[in-house]
Amino acid sequence: SMPQNLTEEQLCPVRLGVVEELFRLVLLNNLALVHEDHAVRHGLGKALLIELAKIARLHVADVMQLEVPATEPSVATAEQWAQQTLEAYRPLFTDLATSLGGTDDLPAEMTADPMAQMMAGLGKMMAPAMMGMSVGSMVGNLARRAFGVYDLPIPRATPALVLVPANIDTFAAEWSIQLDEMRLWVLAHELAGLTLFSIDHIADHLLAVYARL
């Protein structure tokens, strides 16, 4: 018989497994991203980003008139960005999948219909998996284009300053932007997001809004 009331713990491994497989498949379709691994995993170029971050931090502090966190920038591959994003937003995905896994009771006239009961149970089981496929595809495609953490305006429990060098360099090349200027702009954008979401009442309010959607 088909289970009617899956717990969050039972749903979670199925859902997140689908998410991870989907974003990896999306990334594997872009062979260019494979070549970024060596440089990122060996920290090449990180020292320059740290120096540029000092300049960007002064500008952001002047414009926002707020204290900018002294978080040191780190780098990630597209796959690492996707994995970190999945982990950071796991509570949001869990809440969404749990809500999708629950369905209203069948109308009284349909409770005795075996087919209606089977379809209701099937829908309850498939909804989290379908959500997992959607999230996996979304995260994978974002990872191919994201410059950093705050391309998504969603606070994270642990503030971070993570850049994806391959995406930044590719965008700069495609649009004929001087590379250091591009990196400086991304750092300023990321530091602004980090500063804003480090303010507890702003982060809490945004998370509450997302939870109601």
Side-chain angles (χ1 to χ4, degrees), residues 115-186:
M115 180 62 70
Q117 292 179 0
M118 184 185 74
M119 294 305 294
L122 183 63
K124 181 181 293 187
M125 291 184 65
M126 289 188 63
M130 295 299 292
M131 192 280 291
M133 293 174 65
S134 298
V135 170
S137 178
M138 176 191 70
V139 170
N141 279 290
L142 280 171
R144 295 168 60 178
R145 298 169 175 82
F147 299 147
V149 170
Y150 299 105
D151 282 2
L152 294 176
I154 306 175
R156 297 191 176 196
T158 303
L161 186 61
V162 182
L163 306 185
V164 187
N167 293 348
I168 296 170
D169 295 359
T170 298
F171 186 90
E174 289 176 349
W175 290 88
S176 302
I177 302 172
Q178 207 280 329
L179 191 52
D180 281 349
E181 291 181 2
M182 181 68 194
R183 290 168 176 166
L184 196 58
W185 182 90
V186 172

